[in-house]
Amino acid sequence: METILVTGGAGFIGSHVCVELIEAGFRVVVIDNFVNSTPEALERIESITGERVHFMDVDMMDLDSLDEVFLTYTIDAVIHLAGLKAVGESVTDPLQYYRYNLTPLLHLCECIEKHHVHRLVFSSSATVYGPPQHVPIPETHPVKTENPYGRTKHMSEQILKDFQRSYFPVKIVILRYFNPVGAHQSGLIGEKPTGVPNNIMPYITEVAIGRLPVLHIFGDDYPTRDGTCIRDFVHITDLANGHVKGIEATERMDPGVAVYNLGTGKGTTVKELLHTFEHVTQTTIPFTIADRRSGDVAVSYADVRAAERELGWKSTKGIEDMCKDAWRWQHLNPTGYVKR
Ligand code: UFG
């Protein structure tokens, strides 16, 4: 049985990745400092899978304690998800983003080389493409980052490419996520942002549950079919499964770095998402049209052919599943991960 280290394994994406890894037959070791997550998520992963999640309470800013993880377990491959991810916050506090998104990666690369690990999957973002010159967006699309968060993702990708050139045996898969939404269909794990959500789906579910009064749609005068922005929403379970495929790909690929989009290849408008949510959950979501949000692009969706061809990965779930599952999670856990 192979052992996969998942950094940030208690978070929204990490918890779903752990479930998919365990169900695919891997042993999972999680490290997390719970800055934006909770230990309860690890218990929920165990409830879903019936397997133990090995855990070490490690802050990746501390190289020695990260090294301890590699001394404790024989790690076959790493999935690096830990990091900060709020675009707005990265503009007001850029140094925090550079410090906490780059230093842990440097420490991880040091440990990977020192302990002769050869396989790494890294979580990047479609935000690196900036305003698309054309859609769907292939991995070869030029990169143009427009905020410090996006720049940390682009810099991380460059660091990994340089690292690979210096540590030849390592095989790295970089995954650029589009818009992950939804929750595990058990309703046991999902997304619980701290404070008021920045992203559309958690905002919708919090309005649906009555915690927020109204959804603000940021602009309805974009050049799209209903005037609202188009995004490539991808079910979190599909996205998590993309990581399993990424790990498997690092087994068979030649040393090097490969980059893949994870999306559905289909664009959905904000209003289409909202109306699908209302339809499948039989709720009514009050909304108002607000000003455009600075930094938003009108249309973004992925060219997913490379992931399909080379990873053997394809999304399976549609917008209806994403809405149903997000709602089930919110409904069963109105205040998030409160101990049962
Ligand atoms: N939106 C609203 N109201 C809200 C929240 C969002 O109308 O309350 C709109 C946005 O204006 C945008 C769309 O919903 O048009 C999607 O917004 P999200 O914030 O959910 O997602 P983004 O596409 O802005 O960003 C997400 C991640 C980023 C990542 C990016 C990659 O949050 O981290 O996808 O494309 F970089």
Side-chain angles (χ1 to χ4, degrees):
M1 191 187 255
E2 288 192 324
T3 300
I4 314 296
L5 172 63
V6 183
T7 77
F12 170 47
I13 292 173
S15 55
H16 290 81
V17 166
C18 289
V19 167
E20 295 304 305
L21 283 170
I22 292 169
E23 289 184 346
F26 293 97
R27 179 188 297 116
V28 168
V29 176
V30 166
I31 58 173
D32 206 301
N33 63 359
F34 303 121
V35 160
N36 196 19
S37 62
T38 145
E40 180 70 11
L42 302 177
E43 290 174 27
R44 303 279 184 99
I45 297 167
E46 291 179 341
S47 309
I48 294 170
T49 61
E51 294 289 332
R52 174 158 174 237
V53 175
H54 299 260
F55 172 72
M56 288 180 76
D57 188 355
V58 163
D59 187 340
M60 297 181 74
M61 295 297 285
D62 177 3
L63 179 59
D64 291 338
S65 63
L66 184 61
D67 193 54
E68 200 57 41
V69 178
F70 288 81
L71 292 169
T72 308
Y73 295 97
T74 303
I75 303 294
D76 294 291
V78 180
I79 299 181
H80 180 44
L81 307 172
L84 303 174
K85 59 166 189 175
V87 173
E89 188 184 62
S90 81
V91 175
T92 49
D93 197 351
L95 301 187
Q96 187 191 1
Y97 272 67
Y98 291 117
R99 171 188 284 251
Y100 291 108
N101 281 1
L102 298 180
T103 314
L105 178 68
L106 301 177
H107 288 166
L108 183 62
C109 290
E110 273 188 54
C111 290
I112 281 177
E113 182 166 3
K114 180 175 167 197
H115 296 277
H116 312 291
V117 177
H118 291 171
R119 298 158 60 198
L120 170 65
V121 171
F122 174 68
S123 121
S124 187
S125 166
T127 197
V128 299
Y129 297 120
Q133 294 171 1
H134 49 81
V135 283
I137 307 173
E139 291 82 355
T140 50
H141 185 285
V143 164
K144 186 172 184 295
T145 49
E146 301 212 314
N147 56 67
Y149 162 71
R151 278 190 273 281
T152 65
K153 288 296 178 189
H154 185 219
M155 286 174 187
S156 296
E157 292 191 4
Q158 291 172 308
I159 288 169
L160 288 173
K161 287 175 185 167
D162 287 337
F163 172 57
Q164 201 287 325
R165 278 190 280 267
S166 74
Y167 175 46
F168 182 72
V170 74
K171 303 186 266 187
I172 301 173
V173 164
I174 292 172
L175 300 175
R176 291 179 178 159
Y177 310 153
F178 279 70
N179 290 61
V181 296
H184 190 264
Q185 63 176 19
S186 63
L188 285 172
I189 54 172
E191 184 172 16
K192 180 64 189 99
T194 39
V196 178
N198 292 311
N199 299 116
I200 185 83
M201 186 65 100
Y203 207 107
I204 290 176
T205 60
E206 292 208 7
V207 174
I209 200 99
R211 177 129 22 87
L212 292 169
V214 58
L215 171 72
H216 306 281
I217 294 183
F218 299 135
D220 69 348
D221 56 352
Y222 284 98
T224 63
R225 46 189 178 265
D226 62 18
T228 63
C229 291
I230 290 181
R231 290 291 181 275
D232 187 338
F233 298 103
V234 52
H235 195 290
I236 185 67
T237 300
D238 279 333
L239 186 99
N241 193 257
H243 294 70
V244 176
K245 299 289 185 190
I247 282 292
E248 288 168 357
T250 58
E251 174 69 28
R252 59 179 185 267
M253 69 192 260
D254 292 331
V257 179
V259 182
Y260 300 102
N261 287 335
L262 292 186
T264 62
K266 294 189 200 82
T268 302
T269 72
V270 168
K271 276 193 177 167
E272 287 164 352
L273 180 72
L274 175 64
H275 295 319
T276 306
F277 186 91
E278 292 183 312
H279 177 70
V280 301
T281 62
Q282 294 295 301
T283 54
T284 303
I285 308 294
F287 70 89
T288 57
I289 303 300
D291 289 344
R292 289 183 177 194
R293 184 172 71 177
S294 125
D296 276 344
V297 301
V299 181
S300 168
Y301 56 93
D303 182 333
V304 291
R305 286 173 300 177
E308 204 174 322
R309 198 174 54 238
E310 292 169 31
L311 297 181
W313 175 85
K314 201 173 174 341
S315 69
T316 60
K317 292 172 188 267
I319 295 290
E320 296 200 351
D321 294 314
M322 300 177 209
C323 292
K324 268 188 218 159
D325 293 340
W327 177 233
R328 187 182 300 111
W329 153 254
Q330 177 75 74
H331 189 65
L332 292 175
N333 307 270
T335 51
Y337 284 105
V338 177
K339 235 181 167 45
R340 295 169 168 229

